Amino acid sequence: MEWKRKDLITIEELTPEEINLILDTAEPFKEILRRNIKKVPPLRGRTVLNLFFEPSTRTSASFSIAAKRLSAETMSISTSTSSVKKGETLLDTARNLEAMRVDMVVMRHSCEGAPKFLSERIEASVINAGDGNHEHPTQCLLDLSTLRENVKTFKGLKVLIVGDIAHSRVARSNIWGLTKLGAEVSVCAPPTLLPQNIEQLPVNVYYNMDEAIRDKDVIYLLRIQRERQKVGLFPSTREYMNLFSMDRDRLKKTKEDVIIMHPGPINRGVELDGDVADGKHSVILNQVTNGVAVRMAVLYLLNGGNKDEKII
Ligand code: CP
């Protein structure tokens, strides 16, 4: 199949075939990234703009590296360096940048729907790099790509997402992505960290971590997103850790071959212990490595690339 969309805004709107197309397209890029010379030509002459209105280490760097590996020219603008600080609207900023013939805009914003708003008003392709509590599609795709390296099939795979589900765009994208590929997704959190519409999402809900972790193939831990919480949603960090942190003792209660994931940034000692994050079950740094290949695949497909084309 061919990629037909101008933009990548959500996982919710993608078909399983589109998700698999991106994952399949990422595979040869993984091989290219293991070479001594990692640069290939498909985006030569193209300009990719990173427009980040929220902090980022992984996503921003990963898109930047992905675009450079594909030979695109890149530029980055953040809140502190843009004229949005002087009162310019987001749309005017984007239109001005487009007037400089930017081809793709990678956008992170604290407002849900901001990348979609922009995608409907500019000709350049827009990629959602995280919008508020809504979605983070490329995080989900790199997670799926990492899981594909570690499991035989998504069909019936039992995945547990633990923590601040209410404020997590990563949880939302992964719930859609995993269930579309056939996995069985559960969430575990205190009631105050679950979204109000949780029953409308295709997930099982647990409130007790020790009960939830027993039979899961994958445990995906989330950071407490204090920057998105308007009020304290649990009594203390210590209490949260006692009830929901993945530590050495809890790890002993999981399946022997359980896979531990986290999107980063990690708060060591809060959602998981350092020795779990760095231990043999963890694929956290593999997720980061695969982020570059997956984002190369997304940029490549949005630029009209074909999965079956040989890339030198
Ligand atoms: N996982 C993730 O989105 O990390 P950053 O916030 O560092 O981009």
Side-chain angles (χ1 to χ4, degrees), residues 1 14-26 141 144 148 154-155 180-181 307:
M1 76 167 285
L14 298 187
T15 63
E17 291 74 24
E18 286 175 305
I19 294 172
N20 279 321
L21 174 62
I22 299 172
L23 300 181
D24 291 344
T25 306
L141 292 163
L144 295 174
R148 265 202 345 184
F154 284 104
K155 297 263 178 302
K180 278 171 194 271
L181 296 191
K307 173 175 83 70

mmCIF file of all heavy atoms in Angstrom, residues 1 14-26 141 144 148 154-155 180-181 307:
data_model
loop_
_atom_site.group_PDB
_atom_site.id
_atom_site.type_symbol
_atom_site.label_atom_id
_atom_site.label_comp_id
_atom_site.label_asym_id
_atom_site.label_seq_id
_atom_site.Cartn_x
_atom_site.Cartn_y
_atom_site.Cartn_z
ATOM 1 N N MET A 1 0.826 -1.202 0.000
ATOM 2 C CA MET A 1 0.000 0.000 0.000
ATOM 3 C C MET A 1 0.860 1.251 0.000
ATOM 4 O O MET A 1 2.027 1.209 0.360
ATOM 5 C CB MET A 1 -0.950 -0.006 1.214
ATOM 6 C CG MET A 1 -0.290 0.323 2.542
ATOM 7 S SD MET A 1 -1.484 0.676 3.847
ATOM 8 C CE MET A 1 -2.046 2.300 3.408
ATOM 9 N N LEU A 14 -5.326 6.436 12.121
ATOM 10 C CA LEU A 14 -4.619 5.551 11.187
ATOM 11 C C LEU A 14 -5.253 4.158 11.162
ATOM 12 O O LEU A 14 -5.790 3.686 12.165
ATOM 13 C CB LEU A 14 -3.149 5.397 11.597
ATOM 14 C CG LEU A 14 -2.273 6.659 11.613
ATOM 15 C CD1 LEU A 14 -0.816 6.267 11.874
ATOM 16 C CD2 LEU A 14 -2.386 7.448 10.314
ATOM 17 N N THR A 15 -5.143 3.508 10.020
ATOM 18 C CA THR A 15 -5.578 2.110 9.925
ATOM 19 C C THR A 15 -4.402 1.217 10.368
ATOM 20 O O THR A 15 -3.242 1.653 10.326
ATOM 21 C CB THR A 15 -5.935 1.735 8.472
ATOM 22 O OG1 THR A 15 -4.736 1.872 7.679
ATOM 23 C CG2 THR A 15 -7.026 2.630 7.920
ATOM 24 N N PRO A 16 -4.689 -0.046 10.736
ATOM 25 C CA PRO A 16 -3.581 -0.955 11.052
ATOM 26 C C PRO A 16 -2.597 -1.059 9.877
ATOM 27 O O PRO A 16 -1.388 -1.155 10.080
ATOM 28 C CB PRO A 16 -4.285 -2.300 11.301
ATOM 29 C CG PRO A 16 -5.669 -1.931 11.719
ATOM 30 C CD PRO A 16 -6.009 -0.666 10.973
ATOM 31 N N GLU A 17 -3.107 -1.006 8.641
ATOM 32 C CA GLU A 17 -2.233 -1.107 7.462
ATOM 33 C C GLU A 17 -1.283 0.096 7.395
ATOM 34 O O GLU A 17 -0.106 -0.039 7.062
ATOM 35 C CB GLU A 17 -3.067 -1.170 6.167
ATOM 36 C CG GLU A 17 -3.855 -2.462 5.985
ATOM 37 C CD GLU A 17 -5.083 -2.567 6.907
ATOM 38 O OE1 GLU A 17 -5.597 -1.509 7.347
ATOM 39 O OE2 GLU A 17 -5.510 -3.697 7.191
ATOM 40 N N GLU A 18 -1.800 1.284 7.708
ATOM 41 C CA GLU A 18 -0.933 2.481 7.689
ATOM 42 C C GLU A 18 0.134 2.385 8.782
ATOM 43 O O GLU A 18 1.292 2.753 8.572
ATOM 44 C CB GLU A 18 -1.777 3.747 7.880
ATOM 45 C CG GLU A 18 -2.590 4.122 6.651
ATOM 46 C CD GLU A 18 -3.517 5.306 6.917
ATOM 47 O OE1 GLU A 18 -4.323 5.230 7.871
ATOM 48 O OE2 GLU A 18 -3.455 6.288 6.162
ATOM 49 N N ILE A 19 -0.265 1.894 9.958
ATOM 50 C CA ILE A 19 0.707 1.749 11.055
ATOM 51 C C ILE A 19 1.797 0.760 10.637
ATOM 52 O O ILE A 19 2.996 1.034 10.778
ATOM 53 C CB ILE A 19 -0.001 1.266 12.346
ATOM 54 C CG1 ILE A 19 -0.954 2.348 12.853
ATOM 55 C CG2 ILE A 19 1.018 0.910 13.432
ATOM 56 C CD1 ILE A 19 -1.853 1.921 14.013
ATOM 57 N N ASN A 20 1.380 -0.370 10.069
ATOM 58 C CA ASN A 20 2.367 -1.371 9.647
ATOM 59 C C ASN A 20 3.250 -0.857 8.519
ATOM 60 O O ASN A 20 4.429 -1.210 8.444
ATOM 61 C CB ASN A 20 1.671 -2.674 9.244
ATOM 62 C CG ASN A 20 1.327 -3.503 10.470
ATOM 63 O OD1 ASN A 20 2.104 -3.571 11.425
ATOM 64 N ND2 ASN A 20 0.152 -4.112 10.472
ATOM 65 N N LEU A 21 2.679 -0.012 7.644
ATOM 66 C CA LEU A 21 3.498 0.566 6.562
ATOM 67 C C LEU A 21 4.640 1.400 7.162
ATOM 68 O O LEU A 21 5.790 1.304 6.730
ATOM 69 C CB LEU A 21 2.613 1.434 5.649
ATOM 70 C CG LEU A 21 3.359 2.209 4.559
ATOM 71 C CD1 LEU A 21 4.060 1.261 3.585
ATOM 72 C CD2 LEU A 21 2.407 3.129 3.788
ATOM 73 N N ILE A 22 4.329 2.210 8.169
ATOM 74 C CA ILE A 22 5.390 3.027 8.790
ATOM 75 C C ILE A 22 6.417 2.111 9.465
ATOM 76 O O ILE A 22 7.635 2.302 9.303
ATOM 77 C CB ILE A 22 4.793 4.028 9.810
ATOM 78 C CG1 ILE A 22 3.827 4.992 9.121
ATOM 79 C CG2 ILE A 22 5.910 4.817 10.500
ATOM 80 C CD1 ILE A 22 3.039 5.894 10.070
ATOM 81 N N LEU A 23 5.929 1.098 10.197
ATOM 82 C CA LEU A 23 6.859 0.200 10.906
ATOM 83 C C LEU A 23 7.746 -0.558 9.910
ATOM 84 O O LEU A 23 8.949 -0.704 10.124
ATOM 85 C CB LEU A 23 6.084 -0.784 11.788
ATOM 86 C CG LEU A 23 5.210 -0.171 12.884
ATOM 87 C CD1 LEU A 23 4.530 -1.265 13.699
ATOM 88 C CD2 LEU A 23 6.006 0.740 13.811
ATOM 89 N N ASP A 24 7.159 -1.007 8.808
ATOM 90 C CA ASP A 24 7.949 -1.736 7.791
ATOM 91 C C ASP A 24 8.955 -0.800 7.131
ATOM 92 O O ASP A 24 10.091 -1.188 6.843
ATOM 93 C CB ASP A 24 7.028 -2.323 6.712
ATOM 94 C CG ASP A 24 6.162 -3.455 7.242
ATOM 95 O OD1 ASP A 24 6.474 -3.982 8.329
ATOM 96 O OD2 ASP A 24 5.148 -3.791 6.581
ATOM 97 N N THR A 25 8.535 0.440 6.881
ATOM 98 C CA THR A 25 9.433 1.408 6.227
ATOM 99 C C THR A 25 10.613 1.738 7.136
ATOM 100 O O THR A 25 11.712 2.045 6.651
ATOM 101 C CB THR A 25 8.640 2.688 5.859
ATOM 102 O OG1 THR A 25 7.505 2.310 5.082
ATOM 103 C CG2 THR A 25 9.485 3.668 5.057
ATOM 104 N N ALA A 26 10.396 1.662 8.465
ATOM 105 C CA ALA A 26 11.480 1.993 9.410
ATOM 106 C C ALA A 26 12.582 0.935 9.419
ATOM 107 O O ALA A 26 13.730 1.244 9.772
ATOM 108 C CB ALA A 26 10.901 2.154 10.814
ATOM 109 N N LEU A 141 4.681 4.981 17.627
ATOM 110 C CA LEU A 141 5.263 4.203 16.527
ATOM 111 C C LEU A 141 6.629 3.638 16.902
ATOM 112 O O LEU A 141 6.953 2.499 16.570
ATOM 113 C CB LEU A 141 5.360 5.084 15.272
ATOM 114 C CG LEU A 141 3.998 5.459 14.667
ATOM 115 C CD1 LEU A 141 4.130 6.639 13.708
ATOM 116 C CD2 LEU A 141 3.374 4.253 13.965
ATOM 117 N N LEU A 144 5.983 0.712 19.217
ATOM 118 C CA LEU A 144 5.537 -0.471 18.467
ATOM 119 C C LEU A 144 6.719 -1.106 17.734
ATOM 120 O O LEU A 144 6.856 -2.334 17.691
ATOM 121 C CB LEU A 144 4.441 -0.094 17.466
ATOM 122 C CG LEU A 144 3.120 0.411 18.065
ATOM 123 C CD1 LEU A 144 2.189 0.891 16.956
ATOM 124 C CD2 LEU A 144 2.430 -0.676 18.882
ATOM 125 N N ARG A 148 8.047 -4.863 18.315
ATOM 126 C CA ARG A 148 8.148 -5.836 17.210
ATOM 127 C C ARG A 148 9.471 -6.595 17.240
ATOM 128 O O ARG A 148 9.558 -7.723 16.770
ATOM 129 C CB ARG A 148 8.025 -5.116 15.861
ATOM 130 C CG ARG A 148 6.658 -5.131 15.363
ATOM 131 C CD ARG A 148 6.390 -4.952 13.915
ATOM 132 N NE ARG A 148 7.361 -4.461 12.981
ATOM 133 C CZ ARG A 148 7.070 -4.233 11.695
ATOM 134 N NH1 ARG A 148 5.859 -4.458 11.241
ATOM 135 N NH2 ARG A 148 7.972 -3.788 10.872
ATOM 136 N N PHE A 154 1.621 -9.087 17.943
ATOM 137 C CA PHE A 154 0.842 -8.173 18.790
ATOM 138 C C PHE A 154 -0.490 -8.809 19.196
ATOM 139 O O PHE A 154 -1.115 -8.375 20.143
ATOM 140 C CB PHE A 154 0.566 -6.866 18.037
ATOM 141 C CG PHE A 154 1.769 -5.955 17.964
ATOM 142 C CD1 PHE A 154 2.497 -5.837 16.793
ATOM 143 C CD2 PHE A 154 2.163 -5.213 19.066
ATOM 144 C CE1 PHE A 154 3.603 -5.006 16.722
ATOM 145 C CE2 PHE A 154 3.266 -4.384 19.018
ATOM 146 C CZ PHE A 154 3.991 -4.280 17.837
ATOM 147 N N LYS A 155 -0.892 -9.812 18.430
ATOM 148 C CA LYS A 155 -2.208 -10.430 18.698
ATOM 149 C C LYS A 155 -2.222 -11.050 20.093
ATOM 150 O O LYS A 155 -1.425 -11.946 20.395
ATOM 151 C CB LYS A 155 -2.510 -11.529 17.662
ATOM 152 C CG LYS A 155 -2.619 -11.017 16.247
ATOM 153 C CD LYS A 155 -4.062 -10.775 15.847
ATOM 154 C CE LYS A 155 -4.218 -10.210 14.463
ATOM 155 N NZ LYS A 155 -3.581 -8.965 14.120
ATOM 156 N N LYS A 180 -5.168 -1.418 17.866
ATOM 157 C CA LYS A 180 -5.376 -1.584 16.418
ATOM 158 C C LYS A 180 -4.583 -2.773 15.877
ATOM 159 O O LYS A 180 -4.966 -3.407 14.902
ATOM 160 C CB LYS A 180 -4.962 -0.311 15.673
ATOM 161 C CG LYS A 180 -6.043 0.774 15.684
ATOM 162 C CD LYS A 180 -5.505 2.091 15.132
ATOM 163 C CE LYS A 180 -6.436 3.238 15.434
ATOM 164 N NZ LYS A 180 -7.459 3.448 14.428
ATOM 165 N N LEU A 181 -3.424 -3.066 16.518
ATOM 166 C CA LEU A 181 -2.613 -4.195 16.052
ATOM 167 C C LEU A 181 -2.972 -5.502 16.772
ATOM 168 O O LEU A 181 -2.330 -6.522 16.572
ATOM 169 C CB LEU A 181 -1.121 -3.881 16.212
ATOM 170 C CG LEU A 181 -0.594 -2.713 15.371
ATOM 171 C CD1 LEU A 181 0.924 -2.666 15.401
ATOM 172 C CD2 LEU A 181 -1.068 -2.761 13.919
ATOM 173 N N LYS A 307 7.867 2.491 0.259
ATOM 174 C CA LYS A 307 8.517 1.483 1.118
ATOM 175 C C LYS A 307 9.435 0.559 0.320
ATOM 176 O O LYS A 307 10.486 0.152 0.786
ATOM 177 C CB LYS A 307 7.438 0.678 1.825
ATOM 178 C CG LYS A 307 7.933 -0.505 2.616
ATOM 179 C CD LYS A 307 6.834 -1.185 3.377
ATOM 180 C CE LYS A 307 6.021 -2.172 2.552
ATOM 181 N NZ LYS A 307 6.732 -3.381 2.170
#
